[in-house]
Structures are given as C-alpha cells and as structure tokens.
Amino acid sequence: DAGVTQSPTHLIKTRGQHVTLRCSPISGHKSVSWYQQVLGQGPQFIFQYYEKEERGRGNFPDRFSARQFPNYSSELNVNALLLGDSALYLCASSRGIGTDFNYGYTFGSGTRLTVV
Amino acid sequence: AQKVTQAQTEISVVEKEDVTLDCVYETRDTTYYLFWYKQPPSGELVFLIRRNSFDEQNEISGRYSWNFQKSTSSFNFTITASQVVDSAVYFCALKLNRDDKIIFGKGTRLHILP
C-alpha cells in the first residue's frame, strides 16, 4: 500500500507569492492534517480536515487555508508568502477521528518550502 | 495550557552506549496520549510508540524502552546499545483525547558516534 504522498517535495518561492501544497492520504483514510515544522523546532498543527470539513485549526494567520476533496486528498494554500513561512510542511492521514485517529495516524515525508 | 518539554537539545554518545532522552509534559486533562517519533534526515516522522494516560506500564521493544511516570509527568525514552543508525531527531508529543491535534516538543538531536 502506498503511504501518505506529498507534492512537490521541494520548492522555492519569492516573498509575496502564493503556494499550493498537495497531500494524498493512504487509501481508506478520510482525515488529513497539516503541520508546519520550522528548522530546529517540532511540528506545529495547522489544520485538520475530515470528510471534507474543517475539524480543527491551529494558531496560524488567515493567509493559510486548506481544503479536502471528495477523494480525501487535500491542498494547503499559503498567500502572501513571508520569509518566516520557510519550513517543512507535513501532512498526516488517519482512517478517522477520535479512536480511529489515535491508533492509525501516518505522516508523509513533507514538502520543503523555501521563501526567498 | 498543554506543553511538551524536551530539555536536551542535542546529545552525542559513542556507539554501544545507552542513552536516555527526556520528555516532560503538561496538561490538566486526565485522558491523553503520549508519543515518540523519530525524524531521520529525510524528514519523515517515524512513529515509535503510543501510550495512553491510563497505562503506566513501561514498554520494551528490542533496544528501545520507555518509562512513563504520571507522578512526574515524564515519558522518557532509552536506547540500549546505541547504533549509528539511531542518529536522528527524536520528538516527544502529546495528544488530548478531546481533539486530534498533536503537540510536539522541540526535539532532541541524537548523534551516535562510531
């Protein structure tokens, strides 16, 4: 079975631009979460989507948005990029939420975003 | 507020030595989950262990062992007879039962020297 796949693996953007990151969950998984990991820090929760609805949001500005599609894949969008948005963006999927989340949560390898 | 503290930023040990990574967490919730993840240079977070707040039994898996003590809010991780392949960043994390947000510590970078 394929794991959580994220694309692209690396990209470089200029300040002020917009970026879209993509995540395909494990087959059968309906929940997708996004995390931002700045260099030298632990991952920080950005969003969780379940059945195409936003279920949780972390402490990030409105420049960050996301959505989940009918096939449960997800996009993370960041507008008006700042240098501080440079980070590894991780996606994780789980079969469901609650107990289904606790016992089946898998991370992808991430997208490394560099803003110059 | 919930928090995970990994006081050791970086540790270096010689291969075959034992090493313990410390983790202290804060929460007022009574039901929660604790995790350890390994992050090699490739970036992927590799799940190592999950422990719920009602299970204080220590666990051993091969060269890895975990010591969960609710009295001190600690969930420490020990690698016995370390190997060069154990070199990575290790994260301790906390999840409350009331949502699916995982709260990570800042990580401990472990260097195993040959």
Side-chain angles (χ1 to χ4, degrees):
Chain A
D1 281 346
V4 178
T5 56
Q6 294 187 243
S7 62
T9 53
H10 296 81
L11 76 164
I12 300 174
K13 290 285 190 177
T14 304
R15 273 178 299 176
Q17 283 189 318
H18 162 92
V19 69
T20 298
L21 311 180
R22 295 179 175 82
C23 171
S24 293
I26 291 172
S27 177
H29 284 196
K30 299 180 179 180
S31 171
V32 169
S33 298
W34 287 94
Y35 287 77
Q36 180 197 61
Q37 186 179 9
V38 173
L39 192 64
Q41 302 291 318
Q44 293 225 322
F45 172 77
I46 311 175
F47 287 110
Q48 182 190 25
Y49 276 78
Y50 175 65
E51 290 282 16
K52 302 179 285 291
E53 298 286 330
E54 181 182 302
R55 189 170 181 268
R57 172 186 282 255
N59 189 23
F60 280 80
D62 291 343
R63 298 185 296 108
F64 288 76
S65 64
R67 55 180 175 167
Q68 186 176 34
F69 299 98
N71 65 354
Y72 303 109
S73 67
S74 177
E75 280 183 357
L76 175 69
N77 295 285
V78 186
N79 292 323
L81 285 167
L82 303 174
L83 295 179
D85 296 330
S86 295
L88 178 67
Y89 289 85
L90 294 162
C91 170
S93 76
S94 62
R95 190 170 299 278
I97 57 177
T99 302
D100 280 344
F101 176 94
N102 294 337
Y103 292 90
Y105 186 68
T106 305
F107 282 92
S109 297
T111 293
R112 192 165 296 280
L113 170 66
T114 303
V115 182
V116 298
Chain B
Q2 285 65 235
K3 187 178 177 182
V4 175
T5 301
Q6 295 180 255
Q8 304 149 309
T9 306
E10 203 158 345
I11 301 175
S12 293
V13 300
V14 177
E15 197 174 19
K16 298 184 184 175
E17 287 185 351
D18 299 348
V19 58
T20 295
L21 308 183
D22 298 333
C23 173
V24 174
Y25 63 94
E26 296 175 30
T27 180
R28 293 188 177 184
D29 285 35
T30 57
T31 305
Y32 52 87
Y33 295 81
L34 296 165
F35 302 81
W36 275 94
Y37 287 90
K38 175 181 180 180
Q39 189 174 47
S42 60
E44 184 175 353
L45 282 170
V46 178
F47 166 83
L48 296 177
I49 190 171
R50 171 194 308 106
R51 176 66 74 222
N52 74 53
S53 53
F54 298 109
D55 183 2
E56 283 193 77
Q57 204 169 13
N58 292 330
E59 177 145 344
I60 298 174
S61 176
R63 296 184 297 106
Y64 296 171
S65 63
W66 291 269
N67 183 347
F68 176 28
Q69 292 196 337
K70 285 178 76 170
S71 60
T72 56
S73 296
S74 66
F75 187 42
N76 297 336
F77 172 32
T78 297
I79 301 175
T80 303
S82 60
Q83 300 177 2
V84 173
V85 294
D86 296 327
S87 297
V89 180
Y90 290 86
F91 291 97
C92 180
L94 166 70
K95 193 193 90 65
L96 306 181
N97 196 47
R98 51 182 153 101
D99 62 39
D100 290 340
K101 179 175 71 173
I102 296 183
I103 302 157
F104 287 85
K106 292 187 176 181
T108 296
R109 183 175 295 277
L110 177 63
H111 300 278
I112 308 298
L113 307 173

